Amino acid sequence: MNFDENEPQSVREERFAAERARARAARKAASLNLWGAHVGALIVTVVAVLLAWNGAMVALGIVGGIFLLWFGTGLAWAYADGDHGRHALQRAYNITFGWADGL
């Protein structure tokens, strides 16, 4: 989004709205690559099982709570961006566990 200080506010708002709509349409049309998110979810599941196996319930609750909060924040972000339904859940899942894409 470019900014021109001589541009009237109404024109600027219309241009920004059109750019946001184009970006939203492109994001909805693109398919999500969830491979990294699946790997991240697998790693978190293995860590949770190991914590439960060793009886570290407090640590398990903390780790689970962090990822639940992270997923909820990602879902709120996806809804604020205009995504709804399954695509919003996929984006939140990718936001939460997609960090494993860099491994």
Side-chain angles (χ1 to χ4, degrees), residues 35-49 93 97 99-100:
W35 176 251
H38 293 326
V39 172
L42 178 68
I43 291 170
V44 170
T45 302
V46 168
V47 168
V49 167
Y93 178 73
F97 298 110
W99 51 265

Side-chain angles (χ1 to χ4, degrees), residues 36-95:
H38 293 326
V39 172
L42 178 68
I43 291 170
V44 170
T45 302
V46 168
V47 168
V49 167
L50 290 174
L51 287 173
W53 189 276
N54 290 326
M57 293 301 167
V58 173
L60 178 63
I62 290 171
V63 169
I66 288 171
F67 278 98
L68 182 65
L69 180 65
W70 199 349
F71 182 81
T73 303
L75 190 60
W77 184 4
Y79 266 66
D81 262 353
D83 288 335
H84 298 288
R86 183 178 179 148
H87 195 259
L89 290 172
Q90 287 175 340
R91 279 192 61 204
Y93 178 73
N94 201 21
I95 289 169

